Amino acid sequence: MTPQVHITVCICTYRRATLLRRLLSTLEEQVTDGAFTFSVVVVDNDAAQSARAVVAEASAAGHREIVYAHEPEKNIARARNRTLASARGEYVAFIDDDEFPSPRWLLQLLETSRAQNAAGVLAPVLAHFDVAPPAWLVRSGITDRPRHPTGTPIGLGDARTGNVLLERRLVAGVAEPFDVRFASGGEDVDFFRRMMEQGGRFVWCDEAVVYESVPPLRTTRGYYLRRALLRGRNSLRQHSGRPRKILTSLVALPVYTLALPFLLLAGQHRFMKLFISWCDHAGRLLAALGIQPIRDRDG
């Protein structure tokens, strides 16, 4: 049977050669059932072009078309825009360079998109620990993300680019689908907000699982606290609801501050979960004052 559609898998990468190599290898194992063909676009967001050799190696070893592009300015939104500029499929699928998919990932996303007549399909990202994680991290549930029955309509709270299939017509003719002002995160939320405002309908596919590598660096308290401060800062770059967000943080921060000592007695997992939320609100209020304690996400 002649495949009906083509999917471009979009990957942005920054100095993660080992993880990128694993991702490109597992993509070769995708089951298509003759329903589609797919190619891969890798945009290297490292000025030193650290991914070029990995892509060349994968291209030589596999049978899949892999397009390499370079975005020298470290800016995740620019990198995502460059992947879309190089895409040629009727659909585009985003997956992060530190993730790897289940064998029927693309097929299940495509089947759900067709069955639901949706502009986009989002799906689960499950943690895959490289080493045994600390007990507090497991018990806190910080790495767990919400899951929904297949076909569930998805709102902005669950929108992200770590595992999503989009109809490319959504961005046809748009020079910069991702706002380059979101250089270090938050560009995906802004993108989905605009797509939803334009009538885009997004649904969930619970079977199309991808796994996210969690290295030892990402099992530390400091990593999650820094990420929360950055996330809080980036949340104010979303122009809609800015006064409400600031007011919410002004109320939440003193309440959380009073609660933290009591939760410390209740266990590290409860304390850290609230402390991370505290940093989200603190990062937002600091950003409102023009203060940036964290400028970029590490790890």
Side-chain angles (χ1 to χ4, degrees):
M1 181 174 65
T2 302
Q4 297 179 338
V5 299
H6 186 84
I7 301 173
T8 299
V9 178
C10 296
I11 305 167
C12 300
T13 188
Y14 180 77
R15 296 183 182 178
R16 286 174 172 165
T18 300
L19 296 176
L20 177 62
R21 186 175 288 109
R22 178 179 65 183
L23 170 55
L24 294 175
S25 175
T26 55
L27 283 173
E28 286 288 330
E29 302 167 4
Q30 285 294 292
V31 175
T32 69
D33 282 358
F36 63 94
T37 59
F38 74 95
S39 56
V40 180
V41 172
V42 176
V43 169
D44 189 350
N45 202 199
D46 180 15
Q49 302 187 40
S50 55
R52 181 181 288 277
V54 176
V55 173
E57 172 189 310
S59 296
H63 304 287
R64 192 74 49 199
E65 176 190 356
I66 306 178
V67 175
Y68 173 88
H70 182 223
E71 172 51 61
E73 180 180 344
K74 191 180 178 185
N75 181 309
I76 185 59
R78 290 189 185 278
R80 294 203 193 284
N81 288 337
R82 192 170 288 274
T83 63
L84 291 175
S86 301
R88 65 178 180 87
E90 294 91 338
Y91 294 85
V92 293
F94 277 101
I95 186 169
D96 290 345
D97 62 349
D98 58 351
E99 297 173 347
F100 59 96
S102 50
R104 299 176 70 85
W105 169 59
L106 286 174
L107 181 61
Q108 289 163 331
L109 287 174
L110 179 61
E111 289 176 342
T112 300
S113 176
R114 288 171 163 172
Q116 298 291 328
N117 193 27
V121 181
L122 296 103
V125 178
L126 307 184
H128 180 275
F129 293 99
D130 295 350
V131 298
W136 71 264
L137 182 58
V138 176
R139 295 185 67 190
S140 70
I142 293 169
T143 60
D144 299 335
R145 301 178 184 179
R147 297 182 68 169
H148 314 280
T150 295
T152 301
I154 293 301
L156 198 56
D158 287 320
R160 60 183 183 274
T161 48
N163 181 4
V164 62
L165 180 76
L166 302 170
E167 291 186 343
R168 194 156 66 97
R169 63 172 180 82
L170 285 174
V171 297
V174 181
E176 292 184 336
F178 291 93
D179 191 332
V180 298
R181 290 174 295 180
F182 293 88
S184 59
E187 81 296 336
D188 48 357
V189 175
D190 176 72
F191 170 83
F192 281 106
R193 176 186 59 78
R194 286 183 283 111
M195 295 302 103
M196 290 176 183
E197 288 174 353
Q198 295 169 19
R201 178 172 173 267
F202 300 89
V203 300
W204 188 260
C205 175
D206 204 53
E207 295 78 23
V209 173
V210 305
Y211 300 92
E212 179 183 25
S213 176
V214 184
L217 172 65
R218 293 189 183 184
T219 63
T220 66
R221 294 172 175 83
Y223 170 79
Y224 288 99
L225 298 179
R226 289 192 300 272
R227 189 173 70 165
L229 287 168
L230 182 62
R231 185 169 56 232
R233 185 201 75 179
N234 287 340
S235 71
L236 280 194
R237 294 183 175 178
Q238 306 285 345
H239 298 300
S240 61
R242 183 183 171 100
R244 176 185 53 80
K245 292 174 183 176
I246 293 174
L247 179 60
T248 299
S249 292
L250 283 171
V251 173
L253 201 63
V255 173
Y256 288 4
T257 301
L258 291 174
L260 280 172
F262 297 98
L263 285 180
L264 184 59
L265 297 175
Q268 279 289 313
H269 60 295
R270 293 191 175 93
F271 172 80
M272 282 302 301
K273 193 166 186 176
L274 188 67
F275 196 14
I276 289 168
S277 295
W278 186 96
C279 286
D280 273 303
H281 291 292
R284 181 181 292 168
L285 293 180
L286 288 171
L289 296 173
I291 302 171
Q292 297 188 38
I294 302 293
R295 294 186 177 274
D296 197 8
R297 175 177 171 178
D298 57 354

